[in-house]
């Protein structure tokens, strides 16, 4: 690629699912999810795994292995 060429941007949607949250309400579940997202987990934690949707594909991405 030359200095004058740019890579075309594509639109993506990223989802992250947290299974098994025990909570008394949707609000409490959201707070628990936020606390998981905000903490700094160790290697191999599920918080580094995302599903990226774009270009007609669904791609799992584990940022620990990038």
């Amino acid at each position: 690629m030359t200095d004058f060429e740019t890579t075309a941007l594509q639109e993506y949607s990223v989802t992250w699912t947290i299974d098994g949250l025990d909570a008394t309400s949707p609000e409490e579940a959201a707070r628990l999810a936020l606390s998981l997202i905000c903490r700094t987990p160790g290697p191999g934690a599920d918080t580094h795994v995302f599903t990226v949707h774009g270009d007609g594909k669904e791609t799992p991405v584990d940022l620990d292995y990038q």
Side-chain angles (χ1 to χ4, degrees), residues 36-48 64:
L36 288 171
I37 294 168
C38 290
R39 70 179 179 166
T40 305
D46 288 340
T47 54
H48 294 153
D64 283 337

Side-chain angles (χ1 to χ4, degrees), residues 11-52:
E11 185 173 313
Y12 293 95
S13 173
V14 178
T15 58
W16 187 43
T17 302
I18 304 171
D19 294 324
L21 287 178
D22 295 327
T24 59
S25 68
E27 292 79 11
E28 182 185 9
R31 282 190 210 92
L32 289 169
L34 181 60
S35 72
L36 288 171
I37 294 168
C38 290
R39 70 179 179 166
T40 305
D46 288 340
T47 54
H48 294 153
V49 181
F50 299 87
T51 302
V52 180

